PDB file of all heavy atoms in Angstrom:
ATOM      1  N   PHE A   1    -193.876 -67.283-127.506  1.00 83.00           N
ATOM      2  CA  PHE A   1    -195.275 -67.359-127.942  1.00 83.00           C
ATOM      3  C   PHE A   1    -196.205 -67.436-126.668  1.00 83.00           C
ATOM      4  O   PHE A   1    -196.447 -68.560-126.159  1.00 83.00           O
ATOM      5  CB  PHE A   1    -195.555 -68.508-128.843  1.00 83.00           C
ATOM      6  CG  PHE A   1    -194.773 -68.458-130.132  1.00 83.00           C
ATOM      7  CD1 PHE A   1    -193.667 -69.283-130.328  1.00 83.00           C
ATOM      8  CD2 PHE A   1    -195.111 -67.534-131.098  1.00 83.00           C
ATOM      9  CE1 PHE A   1    -192.940 -69.159-131.488  1.00 83.00           C
ATOM     10  CE2 PHE A   1    -194.368 -67.457-132.270  1.00 83.00           C
ATOM     11  CZ  PHE A   1    -193.239 -68.245-132.512  1.00 83.00           C
ATOM     12  N   CYS A   2    -196.641 -66.293-126.153  1.00 78.00           N
ATOM     13  CA  CYS A   2    -197.353 -66.358-124.900  1.00 78.00           C
ATOM     14  C   CYS A   2    -198.760 -65.664-125.054  1.00 78.00           C
ATOM     15  O   CYS A   2    -199.508 -65.634-124.071  1.00 78.00           O
ATOM     16  CB  CYS A   2    -196.629 -65.725-123.755  1.00 78.00           C
ATOM     17  SG  CYS A   2    -195.967 -64.085-124.136  1.00 78.00           S
ATOM     18  N   HIS A   3    -198.986 -65.020-126.244  1.00 68.00           N
ATOM     19  CA  HIS A   3    -200.311 -64.368-126.419  1.00 68.00           C
ATOM     20  C   HIS A   3    -201.375 -65.390-126.773  1.00 68.00           C
ATOM     21  O   HIS A   3    -202.402 -65.368-126.149  1.00 68.00           O
ATOM     22  CB  HIS A   3    -200.135 -63.344-127.541  1.00 68.00           C
ATOM     23  CG  HIS A   3    -199.420 -62.085-127.190  1.00 68.00           C
ATOM     24  ND1 HIS A   3    -198.903 -61.263-128.107  1.00 68.00           N
ATOM     25  CD2 HIS A   3    -199.100 -61.606-125.968  1.00 68.00           C
ATOM     26  CE1 HIS A   3    -198.297 -60.216-127.494  1.00 68.00           C
ATOM     27  NE2 HIS A   3    -198.381 -60.455-126.208  1.00 68.00           N
ATOM     28  N   SER A   4    -201.075 -66.253-127.710  1.00 81.00           N
ATOM     29  CA  SER A   4    -202.059 -67.229-128.158  1.00 81.00           C
ATOM     30  C   SER A   4    -201.268 -68.308-128.951  1.00 81.00           C
ATOM     31  O   SER A   4    -200.170 -68.112-129.388  1.00 81.00           O
ATOM     32  CB  SER A   4    -203.123 -66.533-129.024  1.00 81.00           C
ATOM     33  OG  SER A   4    -203.916 -67.487-129.647  1.00 81.00           O
ATOM     34  N   ASN A   5    -201.950 -69.440-129.096  1.00 89.00           N
ATOM     35  CA  ASN A   5    -201.387 -70.468-129.930  1.00 89.00           C
ATOM     36  C   ASN A   5    -202.221 -70.711-131.186  1.00 89.00           C
ATOM     37  O   ASN A   5    -202.157 -71.794-131.827  1.00 89.00           O
ATOM     38  CB  ASN A   5    -201.201 -71.807-129.122  1.00 89.00           C
ATOM     39  CG  ASN A   5    -202.513 -72.434-128.762  1.00 89.00           C
ATOM     40  OD1 ASN A   5    -203.543 -71.767-128.666  1.00 89.00           O
ATOM     41  ND2 ASN A   5    -202.468 -73.705-128.557  1.00 89.00           N
ATOM     42  N   VAL A   6    -203.163 -69.785-131.436  1.00 90.00           N
ATOM     43  CA  VAL A   6    -204.131 -69.927-132.577  1.00 90.00           C
ATOM     44  C   VAL A   6    -203.500 -69.159-133.761  1.00 90.00           C
ATOM     45  O   VAL A   6    -203.414 -67.968-133.735  1.00 90.00           O
ATOM     46  CB  VAL A   6    -205.497 -69.418-132.256  1.00 90.00           C
ATOM     47  CG1 VAL A   6    -206.372 -69.549-133.449  1.00 90.00           C
ATOM     48  CG2 VAL A   6    -206.056 -70.185-131.049  1.00 90.00           C
ATOM     49  N   ILE A   7    -203.102 -69.950-134.793  1.00 89.00           N
ATOM     50  CA  ILE A   7    -202.516 -69.371-135.992  1.00 89.00           C
ATOM     51  C   ILE A   7    -203.613 -69.046-137.051  1.00 89.00           C
ATOM     52  O   ILE A   7    -204.331 -69.928-137.467  1.00 89.00           O
ATOM     53  CB  ILE A   7    -201.493 -70.278-136.646  1.00 89.00           C
ATOM     54  CG1 ILE A   7    -200.396 -70.598-135.650  1.00 89.00           C
ATOM     55  CG2 ILE A   7    -200.889 -69.716-137.884  1.00 89.00           C
ATOM     56  CD1 ILE A   7    -199.393 -71.623-136.167  1.00 89.00           C
ATOM     57  N   ASN A   8    -203.786 -67.789-137.326  1.00 87.00           N
ATOM     58  CA  ASN A   8    -204.834 -67.362-138.338  1.00 87.00           C
ATOM     59  C   ASN A   8    -204.360 -67.623-139.740  1.00 87.00           C
ATOM     60  O   ASN A   8    -204.211 -66.688-140.523  1.00 87.00           O
ATOM     61  CB  ASN A   8    -205.246 -65.913-138.090  1.00 87.00           C
ATOM     62  CG  ASN A   8    -206.423 -65.487-138.893  1.00 87.00           C
ATOM     63  OD1 ASN A   8    -207.186 -66.387-139.389  1.00 87.00           O
ATOM     64  ND2 ASN A   8    -206.631 -64.227-139.112  1.00 87.00           N
ATOM     65  N   HIS A   9    -204.118 -68.861-140.025  1.00 88.00           N
ATOM     66  CA  HIS A   9    -203.658 -69.264-141.329  1.00 88.00           C
ATOM     67  C   HIS A   9    -203.923 -70.812-141.514  1.00 88.00           C
ATOM     68  O   HIS A   9    -204.381 -71.423-140.553  1.00 88.00           O
ATOM     69  CB  HIS A   9    -202.174 -68.992-141.529  1.00 88.00           C
ATOM     70  CG  HIS A   9    -201.802 -68.531-142.892  1.00 88.00           C
ATOM     71  ND1 HIS A   9    -202.302 -69.191-144.029  1.00 88.00           N
ATOM     72  CD2 HIS A   9    -201.025 -67.556-143.394  1.00 88.00           C
ATOM     73  CE1 HIS A   9    -201.798 -68.563-145.105  1.00 88.00           C
ATOM     74  NE2 HIS A   9    -200.995 -67.627-144.724  1.00 88.00           N
ATOM     75  N   PHE A  10    -203.696 -71.319-142.766  1.00 92.00           N
ATOM     76  CA  PHE A  10    -203.884 -72.788-142.973  1.00 92.00           C
ATOM     77  C   PHE A  10    -202.619 -73.544-142.939  1.00 92.00           C
ATOM     78  O   PHE A  10    -202.557 -74.732-143.054  1.00 92.00           O
ATOM     79  CB  PHE A  10    -204.683 -73.020-144.302  1.00 92.00           C
ATOM     80  CG  PHE A  10    -203.974 -72.521-145.495  1.00 92.00           C
ATOM     81  CD1 PHE A  10    -203.035 -73.305-146.136  1.00 92.00           C
ATOM     82  CD2 PHE A  10    -204.363 -71.270-146.021  1.00 92.00           C
ATOM     83  CE1 PHE A  10    -202.398 -72.811-147.303  1.00 92.00           C
ATOM     84  CE2 PHE A  10    -203.754 -70.836-147.210  1.00 92.00           C
ATOM     85  CZ  PHE A  10    -202.819 -71.618-147.811  1.00 92.00           C
ATOM     86  N   PHE A  11    -201.455 -72.798-142.710  1.00 93.00           N
ATOM     87  CA  PHE A  11    -200.160 -73.469-142.394  1.00 93.00           C
ATOM     88  C   PHE A  11    -199.320 -72.559-141.617  1.00 93.00           C
ATOM     89  O   PHE A  11    -199.662 -71.389-141.326  1.00 93.00           O
ATOM     90  CB  PHE A  11    -199.499 -73.851-143.742  1.00 93.00           C
ATOM     91  CG  PHE A  11    -198.897 -72.782-144.570  1.00 93.00           C
ATOM     92  CD1 PHE A  11    -197.564 -72.545-144.553  1.00 93.00           C
ATOM     93  CD2 PHE A  11    -199.761 -71.919-145.326  1.00 93.00           C
ATOM     94  CE1 PHE A  11    -196.992 -71.522-145.335  1.00 93.00           C
ATOM     95  CE2 PHE A  11    -199.192 -70.950-146.088  1.00 93.00           C
ATOM     96  CZ  PHE A  11    -197.896 -70.711-146.096  1.00 93.00           C
ATOM     97  N   CYS A  12    -198.178 -73.037-141.181  1.00 93.00           N
ATOM     98  CA  CYS A  12    -197.263 -72.314-140.289  1.00 93.00           C
ATOM     99  C   CYS A  12    -196.419 -71.329-141.135  1.00 93.00           C
ATOM    100  O   CYS A  12    -195.233 -71.602-141.399  1.00 93.00           O
ATOM    101  CB  CYS A  12    -196.403 -73.212-139.464  1.00 93.00           C
ATOM    102  SG  CYS A  12    -197.304 -74.188-138.223  1.00 93.00           S
ATOM    103  N   ASP A  13    -196.926 -70.224-141.506  1.00 88.00           N
ATOM    104  CA  ASP A  13    -196.251 -69.203-142.258  1.00 88.00           C
ATOM    105  C   ASP A  13    -195.666 -68.197-141.296  1.00 88.00           C
ATOM    106  O   ASP A  13    -196.137 -67.967-140.181  1.00 88.00           O
ATOM    107  CB  ASP A  13    -197.193 -68.519-143.224  1.00 88.00           C
ATOM    108  CG  ASP A  13    -196.481 -67.844-144.356  1.00 88.00           C
ATOM    109  OD1 ASP A  13    -195.259 -68.095-144.496  1.00 88.00           O
ATOM    110  OD2 ASP A  13    -197.089 -67.055-145.090  1.00 88.00           O
ATOM    111  N   ILE A  14    -194.542 -67.569-141.749  1.00 89.00           N
ATOM    112  CA  ILE A  14    -193.821 -66.724-140.841  1.00 89.00           C
ATOM    113  C   ILE A  14    -194.578 -65.539-140.325  1.00 89.00           C
ATOM    114  O   ILE A  14    -194.693 -65.260-139.141  1.00 89.00           O
ATOM    115  CB  ILE A  14    -192.487 -66.188-141.566  1.00 89.00           C
ATOM    116  CG1 ILE A  14    -191.611 -67.395-141.886  1.00 89.00           C
ATOM    117  CG2 ILE A  14    -191.704 -65.285-140.621  1.00 89.00           C
ATOM    118  CD1 ILE A  14    -190.500 -67.074-142.819  1.00 89.00           C
ATOM    119  N   PRO A  15    -195.263 -64.698-141.200  1.00 85.00           N
ATOM    120  CA  PRO A  15    -196.024 -63.534-140.690  1.00 85.00           C
ATOM    121  C   PRO A  15    -197.117 -63.940-139.714  1.00 85.00           C
ATOM    122  O   PRO A  15    -197.362 -63.236-138.785  1.00 85.00           O
ATOM    123  CB  PRO A  15    -196.596 -62.880-141.959  1.00 85.00           C
ATOM    124  CG  PRO A  15    -195.650 -63.402-143.091  1.00 85.00           C
ATOM    125  CD  PRO A  15    -195.275 -64.761-142.710  1.00 85.00           C
ATOM    126  N   ALA A  16    -197.798 -65.058-140.008  1.00 86.00           N
ATOM    127  CA  ALA A  16    -198.907 -65.508-139.101  1.00 86.00           C
ATOM    128  C   ALA A  16    -198.353 -65.865-137.757  1.00 86.00           C
ATOM    129  O   ALA A  16    -199.082 -65.677-136.727  1.00 86.00           O
ATOM    130  CB  ALA A  16    -199.568 -66.738-139.694  1.00 86.00           C
ATOM    131  N   LEU A  17    -197.132 -66.355-137.619  1.00 90.00           N
ATOM    132  CA  LEU A  17    -196.556 -66.686-136.327  1.00 90.00           C
ATOM    133  C   LEU A  17    -195.991 -65.424-135.585  1.00 90.00           C
ATOM    134  O   LEU A  17    -196.054 -65.348-134.384  1.00 90.00           O
ATOM    135  CB  LEU A  17    -195.478 -67.693-136.461  1.00 90.00           C
ATOM    136  CG  LEU A  17    -195.881 -69.177-136.512  1.00 90.00           C
ATOM    137  CD1 LEU A  17    -194.852 -70.112-137.064  1.00 90.00           C
ATOM    138  CD2 LEU A  17    -196.371 -69.643-135.162  1.00 90.00           C
ATOM    139  N   LEU A  18    -195.467 -64.508-136.357  1.00 89.00           N
ATOM    140  CA  LEU A  18    -194.955 -63.339-135.739  1.00 89.00           C
ATOM    141  C   LEU A  18    -195.999 -62.587-134.928  1.00 89.00           C
ATOM    142  O   LEU A  18    -195.688 -61.995-133.881  1.00 89.00           O
ATOM    143  CB  LEU A  18    -194.320 -62.355-136.802  1.00 89.00           C
ATOM    144  CG  LEU A  18    -193.097 -62.859-137.536  1.00 89.00           C
ATOM    145  CD1 LEU A  18    -192.540 -61.808-138.517  1.00 89.00           C
ATOM    146  CD2 LEU A  18    -191.993 -63.229-136.514  1.00 89.00           C
ATOM    147  N   VAL A  19    -197.209 -62.482-135.392  1.00 86.00           N
ATOM    148  CA  VAL A  19    -198.219 -61.728-134.641  1.00 86.00           C
ATOM    149  C   VAL A  19    -198.626 -62.413-133.318  1.00 86.00           C
ATOM    150  O   VAL A  19    -199.281 -61.778-132.533  1.00 86.00           O
ATOM    151  CB  VAL A  19    -199.502 -61.559-135.516  1.00 86.00           C
ATOM    152  CG1 VAL A  19    -199.168 -60.790-136.824  1.00 86.00           C
ATOM    153  CG2 VAL A  19    -200.144 -62.910-135.848  1.00 86.00           C
ATOM    154  N   LEU A  20    -198.231 -63.665-133.174  1.00 88.00           N
ATOM    155  CA  LEU A  20    -198.536 -64.389-131.890  1.00 88.00           C
ATOM    156  C   LEU A  20    -197.537 -64.126-130.790  1.00 88.00           C
ATOM    157  O   LEU A  20    -197.756 -64.420-129.666  1.00 88.00           O
ATOM    158  CB  LEU A  20    -198.697 -65.911-132.143  1.00 88.00           C
ATOM    159  CG  LEU A  20    -199.717 -66.390-133.147  1.00 88.00           C
ATOM    160  CD1 LEU A  20    -199.617 -67.935-133.185  1.00 88.00           C
ATOM    161  CD2 LEU A  20    -201.090 -65.894-132.743  1.00 88.00           C
ATOM    162  N   SER A  21    -196.364 -63.616-131.192  1.00 86.00           N
ATOM    163  CA  SER A  21    -195.261 -63.478-130.239  1.00 86.00           C
ATOM    164  C   SER A  21    -195.414 -62.256-129.337  1.00 86.00           C
ATOM    165  O   SER A  21    -195.988 -61.224-129.728  1.00 86.00           O
ATOM    166  CB  SER A  21    -193.947 -63.304-130.974  1.00 86.00           C
ATOM    167  OG  SER A  21    -192.878 -63.147-130.085  1.00 86.00           O
ATOM    168  N   CYS A  22    -195.058 -62.454-128.086  1.00 84.00           N
ATOM    169  CA  CYS A  22    -194.991 -61.356-127.110  1.00 84.00           C
ATOM    170  C   CYS A  22    -193.595 -60.743-127.003  1.00 84.00           C
ATOM    171  O   CYS A  22    -193.352 -59.952-126.142  1.00 84.00           O
ATOM    172  CB  CYS A  22    -195.561 -61.785-125.736  1.00 84.00           C
ATOM    173  SG  CYS A  22    -194.703 -63.248-125.109  1.00 84.00           S
ATOM    174  N   SER A  23    -192.683 -61.256-127.865  1.00 84.00           N
ATOM    175  CA  SER A  23    -191.315 -60.751-127.924  1.00 84.00           C
ATOM    176  C   SER A  23    -191.268 -59.582-128.845  1.00 84.00           C
ATOM    177  O   SER A  23    -192.286 -59.323-129.639  1.00 84.00           O
ATOM    178  CB  SER A  23    -190.375 -61.831-128.439  1.00 84.00           C
ATOM    179  OG  SER A  23    -190.462 -62.994-127.605  1.00 84.00           O
ATOM    180  N   ASP A  24    -190.198 -58.909-128.893  1.00 86.00           N
ATOM    181  CA  ASP A  24    -189.946 -57.802-129.821  1.00 86.00           C
ATOM    182  C   ASP A  24    -189.620 -58.412-131.168  1.00 86.00           C
ATOM    183  O   ASP A  24    -188.626 -59.180-131.307  1.00 86.00           O
ATOM    184  CB  ASP A  24    -188.784 -56.952-129.382  1.00 86.00           C
ATOM    185  CG  ASP A  24    -188.530 -55.749-130.266  1.00 86.00           C
ATOM    186  OD1 ASP A  24    -189.281 -55.665-131.307  1.00 86.00           O
ATOM    187  OD2 ASP A  24    -187.613 -54.972-129.994  1.00 86.00           O
ATOM    188  N   ILE A  25    -190.455 -58.197-132.168  1.00 88.00           N
ATOM    189  CA  ILE A  25    -190.266 -58.866-133.478  1.00 88.00           C
ATOM    190  C   ILE A  25    -189.671 -57.947-134.496  1.00 88.00           C
ATOM    191  O   ILE A  25    -189.619 -58.292-135.751  1.00 88.00           O
ATOM    192  CB  ILE A  25    -191.638 -59.389-133.973  1.00 88.00           C
ATOM    193  CG1 ILE A  25    -192.644 -58.257-134.237  1.00 88.00           C
ATOM    194  CG2 ILE A  25    -192.252 -60.420-133.089  1.00 88.00           C
ATOM    195  CD1 ILE A  25    -193.957 -58.622-134.972  1.00 88.00           C
ATOM    196  N   ASN A  26    -189.173 -56.826-134.073  1.00 91.00           N
ATOM    197  CA  ASN A  26    -188.511 -55.885-135.041  1.00 91.00           C
ATOM    198  C   ASN A  26    -187.347 -56.516-135.803  1.00 91.00           C
ATOM    199  O   ASN A  26    -187.202 -56.364-137.058  1.00 91.00           O
ATOM    200  CB  ASN A  26    -187.999 -54.642-134.338  1.00 91.00           C
ATOM    201  CG  ASN A  26    -189.179 -53.690-133.926  1.00 91.00           C
ATOM    202  OD1 ASN A  26    -190.218 -53.689-134.571  1.00 91.00           O
ATOM    203  ND2 ASN A  26    -189.024 -52.994-132.850  1.00 91.00           N
ATOM    204  N   THR A  27    -186.557 -57.284-135.048  1.00 91.00           N
ATOM    205  CA  THR A  27    -185.397 -57.898-135.681  1.00 91.00           C
ATOM    206  C   THR A  27    -185.839 -58.952-136.679  1.00 91.00           C
ATOM    207  O   THR A  27    -185.361 -59.093-137.801  1.00 91.00           O
ATOM    208  CB  THR A  27    -184.500 -58.587-134.582  1.00 91.00           C
ATOM    209  OG1 THR A  27    -184.037 -57.659-133.703  1.00 91.00           O
ATOM    210  CG2 THR A  27    -183.310 -59.295-135.232  1.00 91.00           C
ATOM    211  N   ASN A  28    -186.929 -59.747-136.326  1.00 90.00           N
ATOM    212  CA  ASN A  28    -187.461 -60.804-137.203  1.00 90.00           C
ATOM    213  C   ASN A  28    -187.984 -60.126-138.512  1.00 90.00           C
ATOM    214  O   ASN A  28    -187.799 -60.621-139.588  1.00 90.00           O
ATOM    215  CB  ASN A  28    -188.581 -61.542-136.513  1.00 90.00           C
ATOM    216  CG  ASN A  28    -188.092 -62.354-135.315  1.00 90.00           C
ATOM    217  OD1 ASN A  28    -187.687 -61.844-134.290  1.00 90.00           O
ATOM    218  ND2 ASN A  28    -188.068 -63.677-135.553  1.00 90.00           N
ATOM    219  N   GLU A  29    -188.689 -58.987-138.357  1.00 89.00           N
ATOM    220  CA  GLU A  29    -189.213 -58.295-139.511  1.00 89.00           C
ATOM    221  C   GLU A  29    -188.124 -57.791-140.414  1.00 89.00           C
ATOM    222  O   GLU A  29    -188.221 -57.897-141.698  1.00 89.00           O
ATOM    223  CB  GLU A  29    -190.181 -57.186-139.115  1.00 89.00           C
ATOM    224  CG  GLU A  29    -191.463 -57.635-138.522  1.00 89.00           C
ATOM    225  CD  GLU A  29    -192.409 -56.430-138.328  1.00 89.00           C
ATOM    226  OE1 GLU A  29    -191.945 -55.282-138.061  1.00 89.00           O
ATOM    227  OE2 GLU A  29    -193.642 -56.660-138.452  1.00 89.00           O
ATOM    228  N   ILE A  30    -187.064 -57.331-139.801  1.00 92.00           N
ATOM    229  CA  ILE A  30    -185.906 -56.850-140.599  1.00 92.00           C
ATOM    230  C   ILE A  30    -185.289 -57.971-141.351  1.00 92.00           C
ATOM    231  O   ILE A  30    -184.950 -57.954-142.531  1.00 92.00           O
ATOM    232  CB  ILE A  30    -184.839 -56.088-139.727  1.00 92.00           C
ATOM    233  CG1 ILE A  30    -185.450 -54.795-139.179  1.00 92.00           C
ATOM    234  CG2 ILE A  30    -183.560 -55.843-140.455  1.00 92.00           C
ATOM    235  CD1 ILE A  30    -184.618 -54.141-138.119  1.00 92.00           C
ATOM    236  N   VAL A  31    -185.072 -59.078-140.600  1.00 92.00           N
ATOM    237  CA  VAL A  31    -184.456 -60.292-141.245  1.00 92.00           C
ATOM    238  C   VAL A  31    -185.322 -60.835-142.405  1.00 92.00           C
ATOM    239  O   VAL A  31    -184.856 -61.123-143.428  1.00 92.00           O
ATOM    240  CB  VAL A  31    -184.193 -61.390-140.195  1.00 92.00           C
ATOM    241  CG1 VAL A  31    -183.830 -62.705-140.842  1.00 92.00           C
ATOM    242  CG2 VAL A  31    -183.119 -60.908-139.235  1.00 92.00           C
ATOM    243  N   LEU A  32    -186.633 -60.943-142.067  1.00 88.00           N
ATOM    244  CA  LEU A  32    -187.617 -61.464-143.124  1.00 88.00           C
ATOM    245  C   LEU A  32    -187.585 -60.594-144.312  1.00 88.00           C
ATOM    246  O   LEU A  32    -187.492 -61.044-145.471  1.00 88.00           O
ATOM    247  CB  LEU A  32    -188.987 -61.502-142.491  1.00 88.00           C
ATOM    248  CG  LEU A  32    -190.133 -61.913-143.458  1.00 88.00           C
ATOM    249  CD1 LEU A  32    -189.894 -63.309-144.002  1.00 88.00           C
ATOM    250  CD2 LEU A  32    -191.495 -61.840-142.698  1.00 88.00           C
ATOM    251  N   PHE A  33    -187.704 -59.261-144.149  1.00 87.00           N
ATOM    252  CA  PHE A  33    -187.759 -58.262-145.209  1.00 87.00           C
ATOM    253  C   PHE A  33    -186.423 -58.310-146.006  1.00 87.00           C
ATOM    254  O   PHE A  33    -186.491 -58.371-147.230  1.00 87.00           O
ATOM    255  CB  PHE A  33    -188.001 -56.916-144.742  1.00 87.00           C
ATOM    256  CG  PHE A  33    -188.143 -55.874-145.805  1.00 87.00           C
ATOM    257  CD1 PHE A  33    -189.322 -55.569-146.444  1.00 87.00           C
ATOM    258  CD2 PHE A  33    -186.992 -55.158-146.196  1.00 87.00           C
ATOM    259  CE1 PHE A  33    -189.429 -54.662-147.483  1.00 87.00           C
ATOM    260  CE2 PHE A  33    -187.061 -54.215-147.191  1.00 87.00           C
ATOM    261  CZ  PHE A  33    -188.303 -53.905-147.858  1.00 87.00           C
ATOM    262  N   THR A  34    -185.329 -58.324-145.291  1.00 92.00           N
ATOM    263  CA  THR A  34    -183.994 -58.222-145.956  1.00 92.00           C
ATOM    264  C   THR A  34    -183.707 -59.490-146.848  1.00 92.00           C
ATOM    265  O   THR A  34    -183.343 -59.352-148.010  1.00 92.00           O
ATOM    266  CB  THR A  34    -182.889 -58.136-144.945  1.00 92.00           C
ATOM    267  OG1 THR A  34    -183.086 -56.893-144.128  1.00 92.00           O
ATOM    268  CG2 THR A  34    -181.501 -57.965-145.599  1.00 92.00           C
ATOM    269  N   LEU A  35    -183.906 -60.679-146.242  1.00 92.00           N
ATOM    270  CA  LEU A  35    -183.724 -61.870-146.972  1.00 92.00           C
ATOM    271  C   LEU A  35    -184.626 -62.038-148.191  1.00 92.00           C
ATOM    272  O   LEU A  35    -184.208 -62.425-149.280  1.00 92.00           O
ATOM    273  CB  LEU A  35    -183.773 -63.117-146.071  1.00 92.00           C
ATOM    274  CG  LEU A  35    -182.687 -63.267-144.990  1.00 92.00           C
ATOM    275  CD1 LEU A  35    -182.897 -64.472-144.141  1.00 92.00           C
ATOM    276  CD2 LEU A  35    -181.237 -63.345-145.677  1.00 92.00           C
ATOM    277  N   ALA A  36    -185.957 -61.741-147.919  1.00 87.00           N
ATOM    278  CA  ALA A  36    -186.864 -61.881-149.022  1.00 87.00           C
ATOM    279  C   ALA A  36    -186.583 -60.869-150.079  1.00 87.00           C
ATOM    280  O   ALA A  36    -186.666 -61.167-151.297  1.00 87.00           O
ATOM    281  CB  ALA A  36    -188.311 -61.602-148.487  1.00 87.00           C
ATOM    282  N   ALA A  37    -186.254 -59.607-149.717  1.00 86.00           N
ATOM    283  CA  ALA A  37    -185.951 -58.588-150.700  1.00 86.00           C
ATOM    284  C   ALA A  37    -184.715 -58.943-151.517  1.00 86.00           C
ATOM    285  O   ALA A  37    -184.676 -58.781-152.752  1.00 86.00           O
ATOM    286  CB  ALA A  37    -185.750 -57.232-150.012  1.00 86.00           C
ATOM    287  N   LEU A  38    -183.647 -59.397-150.826  1.00 92.00           N
ATOM    288  CA  LEU A  38    -182.413 -59.792-151.562  1.00 92.00           C
ATOM    289  C   LEU A  38    -182.675 -60.952-152.520  1.00 92.00           C
ATOM    290  O   LEU A  38    -182.179 -60.908-153.703  1.00 92.00           O
ATOM    291  CB  LEU A  38    -181.309 -60.152-150.577  1.00 92.00           C
ATOM    292  CG  LEU A  38    -180.731 -59.026-149.741  1.00 92.00           C
ATOM    293  CD1 LEU A  38    -179.757 -59.606-148.715  1.00 92.00           C
ATOM    294  CD2 LEU A  38    -179.976 -58.010-150.680  1.00 92.00           C
ATOM    295  N   THR A  39    -183.458 -61.939-152.111  1.00 91.00           N
ATOM    296  CA  THR A  39    -183.774 -63.033-152.914  1.00 91.00           C
ATOM    297  C   THR A  39    -184.587 -62.696-154.117  1.00 91.00           C
ATOM    298  O   THR A  39    -184.270 -63.012-155.307  1.00 91.00           O
ATOM    299  CB  THR A  39    -184.539 -64.126-152.130  1.00 91.00           C
ATOM    300  OG1 THR A  39    -183.772 -64.618-151.032  1.00 91.00           O
ATOM    301  CG2 THR A  39    -184.980 -65.280-153.010  1.00 91.00           C
ATOM    302  N   VAL A  40    -185.646 -61.848-153.903  1.00 87.00           N
ATOM    303  CA  VAL A  40    -186.533 -61.460-154.983  1.00 87.00           C
ATOM    304  C   VAL A  40    -185.731 -60.523-155.983  1.00 87.00           C
ATOM    305  O   VAL A  40    -185.852 -60.694-157.180  1.00 87.00           O
ATOM    306  CB  VAL A  40    -187.754 -60.685-154.409  1.00 87.00           C
ATOM    307  CG1 VAL A  40    -188.545 -60.057-155.551  1.00 87.00           C
ATOM    308  CG2 VAL A  40    -188.642 -61.708-153.672  1.00 87.00           C
ATOM    309  N   LEU A  41    -185.006 -59.580-155.424  1.00 90.00           N
ATOM    310  CA  LEU A  41    -184.299 -58.636-156.293  1.00 90.00           C
ATOM    311  C   LEU A  41    -183.252 -59.349-157.137  1.00 90.00           C
ATOM    312  O   LEU A  41    -183.140 -59.053-158.326  1.00 90.00           O
ATOM    313  CB  LEU A  41    -183.683 -57.513-155.477  1.00 90.00           C
ATOM    314  CG  LEU A  41    -184.653 -56.506-154.832  1.00 90.00           C
ATOM    315  CD1 LEU A  41    -183.838 -55.579-153.914  1.00 90.00           C
ATOM    316  CD2 LEU A  41    -185.378 -55.714-155.901  1.00 90.00           C
TER     317      LEU A  41
END
């Protein structure tokens, strides 16, 4: 997290933190989508 430490949310939610990262978040998005999709489905 080197872009900013300001979370545009009222709690520490995953998508709100991902946009702050200067790392490659493709893996995170895949993991988030996969786990959420499997759980919901």
